[in-house]
Amino acid sequence: QLCQAIEECKQVILALPEHSERQKDAVVRLIHLRLKLQELKDPDEDEPNIRVVLEHRFYKEKSKSVKQMCDKCSTIIWGLIQTWYTCTGCYYRCHSKCLPLVSRACVRAKVSHQAEYQLSICPESGLDSQDYRCAECRAPVSLRGVPSEARQCDYTGLYYCSSCHWNDLAVVPARAIHNWDFEPRKVSRCSMRYLALMVSRPVLKLREINPLLFNYVEELVEIR
């Protein structure tokens, strides 16, 4: 489709009066189409099957599904024409070209070595304490959305850019333990992966953390 659009754009340019505004606009469109085509081309077919980055163990995917999104650049992975990788530990997915730019360490390592939850409810410290930068990739962010919208993670209380925070919803353990609140809240991509990996681990000693909860929740009394 892109190749066809490029050929059609060339014909339009030739048919328009030279140096006219319409011809200039068509040339700009042609440049954008060619850049898009170049972006989709995959010159790295000989890339290794395994790549290790920030404790991620990335495996080259053989699936041709086009319904995946790159966790780094937040754009679609075109499996038919692009090489992409998935971390076997935390399922982080990204384009081959995005691998050198990955800034998020694999949360599987944290789950293995430090399996514990943040048990304060949304411990916000303020955007100024982050120097108005994303907590993960350090891109500039602001509450006004310029240059990028600052999105708060309800689990960590930190602010992230739209590339690191996709408004995913997850149950926040601190709210469940202290308020018996299981309403899903918006969390960052990193927090969502961590919570998903931690969900089956028996690390919450509820009788020590909040023994009063047993006075109000009948199901807990029955379990005890």
Side-chain angles (χ1 to χ4, degrees):
Q1 288 175 334
L2 274 172
C3 290
Q4 183 181 344
I6 288 171
E7 290 304 316
E8 290 174 357
C9 197
K10 286 180 183 177
Q11 297 302 320
V12 169
I13 291 169
L14 292 173
L16 288 170
E18 280 198 42
H19 308 302
S20 65
E21 288 300 317
R22 288 180 63 195
Q23 191 188 53
K24 289 177 183 175
D25 290 341
V27 170
V28 171
R29 175 170 166 71
L30 178 62
I31 291 169
H32 284 306
L33 287 169
R34 281 180 167 165
L35 286 173
K36 190 68 178 175
L37 183 63
Q38 186 64 36
E39 186 180 303
L40 289 176
K41 283 184 178 177
D42 196 351
D44 302 319
E45 282 301 322
D46 297 327
E47 290 193 47
N49 289 324
I50 303 173
R51 302 277 293 273
V52 178
V53 181
L54 294 177
E55 297 189 79
H56 293 283
R57 191 170 178 80
F58 286 109
Y59 276 78
K60 185 159 70 170
E61 288 286 356
K62 292 181 171 57
S63 168
K64 299 301 181 182
S65 169
V66 296
K67 295 182 180 179
Q68 306 293 351
M69 296 290 288
C70 176
D71 275 296
K72 180 57 189 175
C73 67
S74 308
T75 60
I76 293 176
I77 296 172
W78 297 98
L80 288 169
I81 50 179
Q82 291 178 305
T83 301
W84 57 291
Y85 286 80
T86 299
C87 173
T88 56
C90 67
Y91 307 109
Y92 185 106
R93 299 183 184 93
C94 70
H95 297 101
S96 168
K97 64 181 181 181
C98 293
L99 274 180
L101 306 175
V102 171
S103 56
R104 182 194 311 162
C106 181
V107 293
R108 170 69 73 179
K110 185 179 178 184
V111 169
S112 301
H113 304 136
Q114 187 188 359
E116 58 184 21
Y117 286 117
Q118 163 63 256
L119 294 180
S120 297
I121 296 176
C122 196
E124 182 181 0
S125 56
L127 192 52
D128 56 335
S129 67
Q130 297 179 205
D131 197 25
Y132 295 91
R133 293 183 177 276
C134 171
E136 183 176 312
C137 70
R138 306 305 294 163
V141 292
S142 77
L143 296 174
R144 297 194 304 274
V146 181
S148 180
E149 177 190 8
R151 297 178 179 177
Q152 189 179 33
C153 172
D154 199 82
Y155 175 67
T156 64
L158 300 174
Y159 288 90
Y160 299 80
C161 67
S162 57
S163 293
C164 300
H165 192 319
W166 296 3
N167 288 328
D168 295 301
L169 298 174
V171 173
V172 178
R175 293 186 183 275
I177 290 168
H178 296 299
N179 300 332
W180 206 240
D181 177 4
F182 291 87
E183 181 74 25
R185 311 280 173 152
K186 292 179 180 179
V187 296
S188 67
R189 296 292 290 172
C190 183
S191 296
M192 187 195 70
R193 302 278 193 202
Y194 183 72
L195 293 172
L197 291 173
M198 284 284 289
V199 71
S200 61
R201 288 181 170 255
V203 298
L204 294 171
K205 298 179 180 179
L206 200 54
R207 290 170 70 174
E208 294 178 14
I209 300 168
N210 188 8
L212 292 176
L213 206 55
F214 289 90
N215 297 336
Y216 301 101
V217 184
E218 291 182 10
E219 292 90 343
L220 288 179
V221 176
E222 185 176 343
I223 290 169
R224 183 176 61 177

